[in-house]
Amino acid sequence: MIAACPLEALPPGASFRLDGENPIALFRTEDGQIFAIDDTCTHQDASLSDGWLDGCEVECPLHSSRFDLRTGEVDAPPAKRAVRTHRVVVDGGTVFVEPSGCDG
Amino acid sequence: MTTGTPATTGTPAATGTPATTGTSATTGDLPPSLVATLPGDWYVDPAVFALEQRLIFESMWFCVTRSADLPAPGSFRTAVVGRESVLIGRGRDGTVRAFFNVCRHRGARLCTEESGTVGRAFRCTYHAWTYDLDGRLIAAPNLTKMPDVDRIGYGLVRVHVREWLGYVWVCLADDPPPFEDDVLGEVVTRLGDARAIDRYGVADLELGRRIRYDVAANWKLIVENFMECYHCATIHPELVEVLPEFAAGYAAQYYVGHGAEFGERIEGFTVDGSPGLDRIPTLSPEQDRRYFAITVKPQVFVNLVPDHVILHRMFPLAPDRTIVECDWLYLPDVVASGRDLDRSVELFHRVNQQDFDACERCQPSMSSRVYARGGVLVPSEHHIGGFHDWVRAKLAGTGSPGAGSPGAGPQDAGSPDAGPQGAGVSRDTPGDG
């Protein structure tokens, strides 16, 4: 588990980028749910945490590929491959992420 | 036009202008009734136009679009201002912003359409550098691996914006001239009182009709035409029917705060004098049954009549090409009701066509050898000399004498009536339209 950010750094509608070898994007939806997915779009190197949150989906800022935050699946091209999802735990006002294994 | 440096008034072109029979008169020979115009090549020389782009259109406030043309966040419009393409958009907070329409990466034109709507961002179609509606660089391929790229520093370059009369005015200068002097000052000059235009509530009117004219003429010919009414009785029969005093050739322009009065049997500002639409209720009695006109240099004409406002925006594209967008604005109820605007619009649409035809008839002759030293202004046109002084003063403000600097001789800059602003502004007097 990695301590990603304080909960208050992630108000509804916001995103947070957890840097690292495989950067992770955290999103808090308008209804308060927090999700973590790979930050890098599978189509081209773009940061999904810079994208636009729309319900439980994020739209890549570069080419508008859309990923489902719950499953990582692609909902709109040009991306074809899903991003990985990661488990999120909130404890004591801190958001923790458990990165998935390499095989997703 | 052999030197690239057009002769100024009183300075016959040094070369390439043989004094053939019938064209030997120099401006020094003019009888008192006549005043010289600008030399012909000021209307055709690309070097002159380049200076005008830089020192006039890119330096002054320039009216680009109606605020209501940008109805929602993400609405945008592009416009040519001088040599630049400008991108005007409405942000998520409802604020209108303007930017140079140039991607900061490799310079691709960001928005190629004239108008449209983007969802959330302006995205370059070349490498996908992506800017939010505030102009901030929000995404680019591999941007996260370039943390030293400042997203504001490499955001879109902002252009100054003001909104007035329900229109968006931009200024490409780093330090814009005071809007109050350059723009509002023109209203005071013409109407005598800045509040006079407030009574028309122009910003609250709605667009009833918009017509775009692609005019094969230099922008200055269009300004000059708007300033005088010597031509009215000849080319504007419908207008003179409505405003009989225009037949005299001396229109409202010799007075401050004078509007041309409707003819006795005229019921409205329409093509046949029939009743117009609903009168703007906040007008003063002195504004009823009258036509007022304002030239806001360099590219806006405002025409005020009791039931509508006609606003022209010019977009000079080349020495011999000017796009004119003309809006007819009415009370919101009038537009919402779907009432027939045809007879109302038709009057000034005809005036526009008649004027632009005349300008297009002049343009080819601007490069004629018999017009090398220009033409002449009769007394009812003498005030156009103030516009010419103003243009000269603007172009002389280069501070870089020499090549391609028309009228930049010291005799112009130092001429007592060619002050950088004063003379030109005070003598600029719009006329008939």
Side-chain angles (χ1 to χ4, degrees):
Chain A
M1 293 285 265
I2 301 169
C5 65
L7 184 59
E8 57 261 35
L10 203 58
S15 65
F16 181 86
R17 183 173 186 271
L18 182 62
D19 212 351
E21 193 182 337
N22 294 301
I24 291 173
L26 291 116
F27 298 94
R28 188 168 180 185
T29 62
E30 292 294 347
D31 62 9
Q33 291 180 278
I34 299 178
F35 296 100
I37 61 173
D38 286 344
D39 183 54
T40 305
C41 180
T42 57
H43 168 246
Q44 188 179 21
D45 179 2
S47 172
L48 293 175
S49 60
D50 284 332
W52 292 284
L53 194 56
D54 187 1
C56 271
E57 290 190 330
V58 63
E59 178 181 317
C60 177
L62 283 193
H63 302 101
S64 304
S65 297
R66 291 172 75 94
F67 298 90
D68 190 313
L69 299 178
R70 296 162 296 195
T71 63
E73 292 298 323
V74 179
D75 289 331
K80 293 192 179 74
R81 287 185 294 114
V83 290
R84 297 180 306 172
T85 58
H86 310 280
R87 196 163 74 89
V88 176
V89 175
V90 179
D91 185 18
T94 300
V95 182
F96 293 89
V97 179
E98 184 178 6
S100 304
C102 292
D103 56 357
Chain B
M1 195 185 66
T2 55
T3 62
T5 307
T8 57
T9 305
T11 311
T15 58
T17 52
T20 50
T21 306
T23 62
S24 57
T26 66
T27 52
D29 299 336
L30 290 178
S33 294
L34 301 179
V35 169
T37 67
L38 293 171
D41 55 1
W42 282 60
Y43 301 83
V44 295
D45 187 346
V48 172
F49 187 69
L51 282 172
E52 290 169 345
Q53 288 178 307
R54 183 158 65 87
L55 297 169
I56 295 178
F57 307 126
E58 296 170 26
S59 298
M60 298 183 67
W61 288 100
F62 193 103
C63 184
V64 284
T65 193
R66 234 181 133 240
S67 301
D69 293 335
L70 307 167
S75 302
F76 72 87
R77 144 135 214 193
T78 56
V80 175
V81 179
R83 297 162 297 181
E84 303 285 355
S85 173
V86 176
L87 169 63
I88 309 103
R90 192 175 293 282
R92 306 215 77 77
D93 58 356
T95 302
V96 173
R97 296 180 179 82
F99 313 96
F100 287 87
N101 189 13
V102 177
C103 181
R104 297 297 308 282
H105 173 219
R106 297 269 299 283
R109 182 157 291 186
L110 199 57
C111 290
T112 52
E113 304 87 355
E114 200 161 80
S115 63
T117 303
V118 295
R120 299 171 166 117
F122 300 112
R123 179 184 296 146
C124 181
T125 55
Y126 192 2
H127 300 91
W129 276 41
T130 302
Y131 307 85
D132 70 13
L133 301 180
D134 298 347
R136 199 177 66 106
L137 177 65
I138 49 170
N142 312 328
L143 186 62
T144 55
K145 295 187 175 63
M146 301 178 278
D148 53 339
V149 175
D150 182 76
R151 295 181 176 210
I152 292 171
Y154 282 88
L156 297 177
V157 177
R158 292 280 274 271
V159 170
H160 297 277
V161 171
R162 286 286 297 261
E163 287 182 83
W164 183 60
L165 299 182
Y167 283 80
V168 179
W169 303 67
V170 300
C171 183
L172 274 56
D174 292 335
D175 296 308
F179 194 84
E180 287 67 23
D181 296 352
D182 265 27
V183 179
L184 306 187
E186 300 268 33
V187 178
V188 178
T189 298
R190 185 82 340 273
L191 301 183
D193 177 2
R195 285 170 302 179
I197 197 170
D198 293 343
R199 296 194 196 98
Y200 289 84
V202 184
D204 298 322
L205 301 180
E206 295 267 353
L207 184 67
R209 194 75 56 88
R210 170 173 292 169
I211 300 179
R212 170 183 288 218
Y213 305 87
D214 194 337
V215 186
N218 185 270
W219 68 280
K220 296 190 294 298
L221 290 176
I222 299 173
V223 172
E224 292 159 8
N225 171 272
F226 190 73
M227 289 176 67
E228 53 95 354
C229 211
Y230 189 46
H231 65 271
C232 288
T234 306
I235 72 170
H236 297 318
E238 303 89 351
L239 182 67
V240 169
E241 199 66 35
V242 173
L243 305 174
E245 68 183 77
F246 274 6
Y250 288 88
Q253 64 259 43
Y254 277 95
Y255 311 95
V256 173
H258 174 75
E261 193 168 11
F262 290 8
E264 253 179 52
R265 293 186 186 144
I266 295 301
E267 295 183 88
F269 196 77
T270 57
V271 71
D272 54 2
S274 59
L277 285 306
D278 298 349
R279 181 176 168 274
I280 297 166
T282 43
L283 298 188
S284 69
E286 301 76 44
Q287 290 171 316
D288 199 14
R289 294 184 59 78
R290 284 182 186 272
Y291 163 88
F292 293 86
I294 309 164
T295 302
V296 183
K297 291 190 297 295
Q299 46 87 245
V300 173
F301 308 139
V302 187
N303 309 268
L304 307 164
V305 290
D307 64 328
H308 64 286
V309 170
I310 304 160
L311 195 142
H312 298 76
R313 283 164 290 138
M314 291 196 295
F315 296 88
L317 299 184
D320 58 355
R321 186 173 174 212
T322 308
I323 300 287
V324 183
E325 276 192 20
C326 186
D327 292 344
W328 281 258
L329 308 166
Y330 299 85
L331 288 169
D333 286 350
V334 169
V335 175
S337 72
R339 287 165 67 185
D340 185 0
L341 304 177
D342 284 352
R343 281 179 303 179
S344 176
V345 170
E346 182 65 17
L347 176 55
F348 226 87
H349 173 52
R350 281 196 202 175
V351 170
N352 285 339
Q353 288 179 313
Q354 291 154 348
D355 280 335
F356 301 152
D357 283 352
C359 293
E360 290 186 339
R361 200 171 314 131
C362 292
Q363 182 65 32
S365 308
M366 296 296 107
S367 52
S368 165
R369 69 185 192 190
V370 301
Y371 205 78
R373 296 185 187 106
V376 291
L377 302 169
V378 302
S380 63
E381 302 171 311
H382 280 186
H383 59 283
I384 293 174
F387 171 64
H388 295 155
D389 291 343
W390 177 86
V391 173
R392 280 201 173 89
K394 281 289 182 193
L395 301 206
T398 60
S400 56
S405 178
Q411 76 276 18
D412 281 286
S415 160
D417 66 345
Q421 307 264 326
V425 170
S426 65
R427 287 167 57 186
D428 172 44
T429 46
D432 71 295

